[in-house]
Amino acid sequence: MTPQPSTNLVRKYRRWKELSQAELAQRAGVSRQTIANIEKGNYAPSVYLALMISKILGRSVEDIFDPPRR
């Protein structure tokens, strides 16, 4: 079975806040590449980082990292 990339809405909410990947990364204390990989589903953030991103974007962890399935 092929693993599915994790689904998250980091990119959507980052754009709503009009933040670049670099700006979000700086606020979260990580590299821009880390944010890019989270958005692509290639990297699962630590609980601490997920909480930090959620706080910056003004959404709950569940809203961003566990969106409803269609």
Side-chain angles (χ1 to χ4, degrees):
M1 193 173 239
T2 306
Q4 296 289 341
S6 58
T7 301
N8 69 66
L9 300 176
V10 174
R11 183 176 187 188
K12 175 182 176 179
Y13 292 124
R14 174 180 60 77
R15 287 181 162 191
W16 278 2
K17 288 287 228 181
E18 297 182 353
L19 294 171
S20 68
Q21 287 179 342
E23 290 167 328
L24 178 56
Q26 182 180 23
R27 291 184 187 188
V30 296
S31 69
R32 186 202 58 77
Q33 291 86 353
T34 298
I35 298 299
N37 281 317
I38 291 169
E39 289 182 356
K40 291 180 201 170
N42 294 335
Y43 177 76
S46 66
V47 172
Y48 176 80
L49 181 54
L51 288 168
M52 181 66 70
I53 291 170
S54 298
K55 182 177 179 181
I56 294 164
L57 297 178
R59 299 300 237 175
S60 72
V61 172
E62 291 82 7
D63 285 346
I64 297 173
F65 294 99
D66 190 26
R69 309 285 188 252
R70 289 183 182 200

